[in-house]
Amino acid sequence: MAEITTSSVSGVTISATLAILLAALLLPLSFTGGVVTTPAISQALHGGPLSLAWLTNGFMLTFGSGLLAAGVAADKLRYKRVFIAGLALFSLSSLLIALTESTFTLGIYRALQGIAAALTLAGGATALAHLYSGPARTRAFSLLGTLFGVGLAFGPLLMGVITDALSWRWVYALLSALAAIVGLVGQFSVVSAPATHSPPADIRGTALFSLALLALTTTLILLPQYGE
């Protein structure tokens, strides 16, 4: 009976790890997808250079400025909820991008996708830290970083092949489907740790930091367009 229990726990751990690692691979694919699909979207939706720039900038803006807040949420709330919520929002925003007919709404959906990516990464990393300890945790996070790099390296090629063979809409439709599948796997395999008593989060400080980073990044993005 002890062997069965150990095997069961090991299987759940492997499934949870797989869900987290696949989620980490989705994030760089979504970033490179925005870059690679921009020419095809420009041809299909006839957007201007500034609106099309938000395909990349909108994602990075909300992802970068929201990562700290997402990490605080993963620590203070149940990290499984943050992870699954991030994947659900990622799937929804990707589907909306695939269906949109406007570059304006496309930029908004890309910003939502960036928020979803921040929630997914923060919740997944926190979950991974609870799954392993010691050298095993180091190896798990090394693999997480490696897959993130693989996504950045091979994402443009993969997204380009899909765009040429099918269309740019299929890139985001596939990302939506993959996020939904990973979310289902995570829902049944990732186990939240019991709630623990800890000092309250500095909500005001976190919000001010995120807003300041958001304003700074927005300024840097818009400076070439409006600066003198």
Side-chain angles (χ1 to χ4, degrees):
M1 179 65 69
E3 291 182 1
I4 295 175
T5 303
T6 302
S7 175
S8 175
V9 172
S10 177
V12 170
T13 300
I14 292 173
S15 298
T17 304
L18 182 62
I20 295 167
L21 295 179
L22 288 177
L25 187 59
L26 279 174
L27 305 187
L29 289 179
S30 65
F31 170 68
T32 56
V35 177
V36 172
T37 58
T38 297
I41 292 174
S42 175
Q43 185 176 5
L45 302 183
H46 310 290
L50 183 58
S51 62
L52 290 171
W54 286 97
L55 280 172
T56 302
N57 295 337
F59 180 93
M60 293 307 298
L61 182 66
T62 53
F63 174 73
S65 59
L67 197 54
L68 175 63
V72 172
D75 285 336
K76 298 302 177 182
L77 306 174
R78 292 188 181 274
Y79 50 79
K80 177 179 178 178
R81 294 177 181 174
V82 174
F83 180 63
I84 299 301
L87 285 168
L89 182 59
F90 189 93
S91 179
L92 175 62
S93 58
S94 298
L95 181 60
L96 290 173
I97 292 172
L99 297 175
T100 190
E101 296 291 342
S102 165
T103 55
F104 176 77
T105 55
L106 193 149
I108 294 175
Y109 297 150
R110 280 288 284 174
L112 284 176
Q113 198 179 47
I115 295 173
L119 291 171
T120 301
L121 181 60
T126 306
L128 195 64
H130 282 79
L131 282 173
Y132 300 97
S133 60
R137 179 183 293 174
T138 302
R139 290 191 294 270
F141 274 92
S142 296
L143 186 56
L144 182 73
T146 299
L147 284 178
F148 206 92
V150 167
L152 288 176
F154 294 97
L157 176 62
L158 179 60
M159 298 296 102
V161 169
I162 295 173
T163 302
D164 291 339
L166 300 172
S167 76
W168 66 269
R169 295 185 187 276
W170 274 100
V171 169
Y172 297 99
L174 289 173
L175 286 173
S176 176
L178 289 173
I181 293 171
V182 173
L184 285 175
V185 175
Q187 177 65 33
F188 291 106
S189 60
V190 176
V191 179
S192 289
T196 58
H197 296 289
S198 60
D202 183 5
I203 303 297
R204 181 179 299 177
T206 302
L208 287 175
F209 177 85
S210 298
L211 289 174
L213 186 58
L214 181 69
L216 175 62
T217 309
T218 303
T219 301
L220 294 175
I221 289 172
L222 296 179
L223 192 60
Q225 181 73 19
Y226 297 104
E228 296 181 358

